[in-house]
Amino acid sequence: MSKGKLEKFAEMETFDNVFQYPFSIIGKSAFKMKGHWREQYFQNTNPIVLELGCGKGEYTVELARLFPTINFIGVDIKGARMWKGAKMALAENLHNAAFLRTNIEIIDRFFGEDEVQEIWLTFSDPQMKNVRKRLTGTLFMERYRHFLIDGGIIHLKTDSNFLFTYTALMAKKNQLPVLFQTEDLYHTDDIDASTRQTLSIRTYYETMWIDRGLNIKYIKFCLPRTGRMVEPDDEIPFDEYKSYHHNQWDALKNR
């Protein structure tokens, strides 16, 4: 690990808005704040919204700025990236923003039943070859049901045609209510001003995809508590710019 990353990890240990519980830690003891984020950390009764795979935390921070009466928690395992957003939130006294460094595969160990109202998935790895790791896959939908309110909202914002198509098919297959979807977010007219403001938040990586001429796609759907989840069986073409330029993609993600 580089000296810069070590310094960021050390500094994050002093941040009171960061909770670090990777699998190696949570596997040994339960997370005591599960089900009690509002009273024990935020000290209010406001809704809780998660951003899973928050990267540098830009979306979490900007959402917290826009909606001071909503609590936002950015989740990622990459601590050196998360450091930026966490530090920014502290500097701006954004008391409605927190960060959880952990493996998203065990996200249901950190939140109690009905504790979360919405989930944002911003530019998640499409996991084209591994549906079990796909954050909009049915395995993760079942995990979200453990803590998301009945009919809670899930947002997916992505550059990946594969992930967008898969998610839309998954929602259709399982009769999940789709509230809105578009294959070209920034060239869609019928979006109200408030929603457009929220969707216009751009992360570092999103800006890079737009600069490459890629359309940004978005889908918003509800996840009911009950009903057996079934995987769609449609063939979906892989994203060529990721599958055929894998080395460049890995280099970009690890910056």
Side-chain angles (χ1 to χ4, degrees), residues 27-220:
K28 299 175 183 177
S29 60
F31 184 65
K32 295 181 180 179
M33 206 158 59
K34 178 179 179 179
H36 303 285
W37 281 86
R38 289 182 180 86
E39 58 265 40
Q40 293 187 13
Y41 178 75
F42 292 111
Q43 298 181 8
N44 60 47
T45 59
N46 296 335
I48 291 177
V49 176
L50 305 185
E51 183 192 3
L52 302 183
C54 69
K56 297 185 179 188
E58 302 133 300
Y59 223 92
T60 297
V61 169
E62 189 59 34
L63 286 170
R65 289 172 180 153
L66 287 173
F67 304 102
T69 59
I70 298 176
N71 302 317
F72 295 93
I73 304 173
V75 183
D76 208 303
I77 191 59
K78 301 287 187 179
R81 294 185 200 167
M82 182 184 290
W83 168 88
K84 181 177 181 179
K87 191 175 182 70
M88 193 182 305
L90 285 177
E92 297 183 25
N93 292 314
L94 294 175
H95 300 297
N96 62 326
F99 294 86
L100 172 63
R101 189 176 78 84
T102 192
N103 307 79
I104 297 177
E105 290 83 356
I106 56 172
I107 189 64
D108 50 327
R109 300 192 187 190
F110 296 91
F111 300 95
E113 185 176 351
D114 293 330
E115 191 167 21
V116 174
Q117 276 64 47
E118 298 185 23
I119 293 173
W120 278 86
L121 304 171
T122 53
F123 300 91
S124 308
D125 187 328
Q127 295 289 346
M128 292 181 284
K129 295 183 179 180
N130 192 344
V131 67
R132 295 181 63 82
K133 291 186 176 182
R134 206 170 295 157
L135 295 188
T136 57
T138 58
L139 182 63
F140 274 92
M141 292 296 130
E142 292 291 1
R143 289 186 177 120
Y144 303 154
R145 281 174 162 176
H146 292 161
F147 54 81
L148 192 64
I149 62 169
D150 189 14
I153 294 174
I154 296 179
H155 307 260
L156 171 70
K157 192 179 182 187
T158 182
D159 59 286
S160 168
N161 185 66
F162 176 91
L163 186 58
F164 175 81
T165 303
Y166 165 82
T167 304
L169 290 169
M170 184 279 301
K172 182 178 180 181
K173 182 81 171 182
N174 292 283
Q175 299 182 327
L176 307 182
V178 175
L179 304 178
F180 182 77
Q181 72 180 71
T182 174
E183 295 184 19
D184 192 356
L185 178 61
Y186 296 118
H187 296 93
T188 298
D189 296 327
D190 55 338
I191 303 177
D192 64 85
S194 176
T195 302
R196 184 169 293 284
Q197 183 182 32
T198 304
L199 292 174
S200 294
I201 300 171
R202 294 187 183 181
T203 66
Y204 172 79
Y205 296 110
E206 178 177 358
T207 301
M208 296 190 76
W209 296 131
I210 292 173
D211 289 345
R212 290 181 61 180
L214 298 175
N215 291 342
I216 303 303
K217 302 157 184 67
Y218 171 74
I219 182 169
K220 173 183 179 182

